[in-house]
């Protein structure tokens, strides 16, 4: 197998067995990987939290099983969740238009805790940690 420079860079080696980089730009693939990794990390916490720490007091959701809880949740909660997701997507879009980043290097769109490092070494460390943890969560959740 010949590895071309178009293949997605994956730490010290290039890994693209399906040759997806022939159709998908590597930067887009990396942003999608980070976004899906973040979703998987949140899903992993959402799966483990109720069984470990319990649930919030509620009359409609009475289980710690996340799949069953989805069906028990009040439709009003789902409406609030969709609105919340739309607001976050709007913030990400506005930040992207201002030259900020939501999935990669650069000043982040959302940093409410002001914890994004100012130095390049700290930023590189954060990006690598997020990428590794996201990959682990995606594998664990699959």
């Amino acid at each position: 197998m010949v590895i071309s420079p178009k293949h997605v860079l994956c730490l010290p080696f290039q890994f693209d067995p399906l040759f997806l980089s022939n159709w998908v730009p590597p930067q887009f693939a990396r942003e999608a990987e980070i976004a899906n990794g973040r979703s998987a990390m949140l899903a992993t916490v959402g799966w483990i939290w109720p069984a470990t720490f319990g649930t919030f007091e509620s009359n409609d959701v009475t289980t710690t099983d996340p799949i069953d809880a989805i069906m028990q949740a009040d439709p009003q909660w789902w409406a609030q969740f969709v609105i919340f997701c739309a607001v976050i997507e709007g913030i990400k879009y506005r930040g992207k238009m201002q030259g900020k980043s939501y999935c990669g290097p650069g000043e982040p769109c959302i940093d409410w805790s002001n914890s994004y490092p100012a130095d390049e070494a700290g930023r590189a460390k954060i990006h690598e940690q997020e990428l590794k943890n996201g990959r682990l969560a995606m594998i664990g959740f699959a």
Side-chain angles (χ1 to χ4, degrees), residues 22-35:
N22 292 336
W23 299 279
V24 178
Q27 182 62 28
F28 178 81
R30 177 55 52 98
E31 289 177 358
E33 181 181 23
I34 291 173

Side-chain angles (χ1 to χ4, degrees), residues 23 26 50 52 57 76 101 110:
W23 299 279
T52 305
E57 290 188 28
Q76 168 186 307
S101 173
I110 302 172

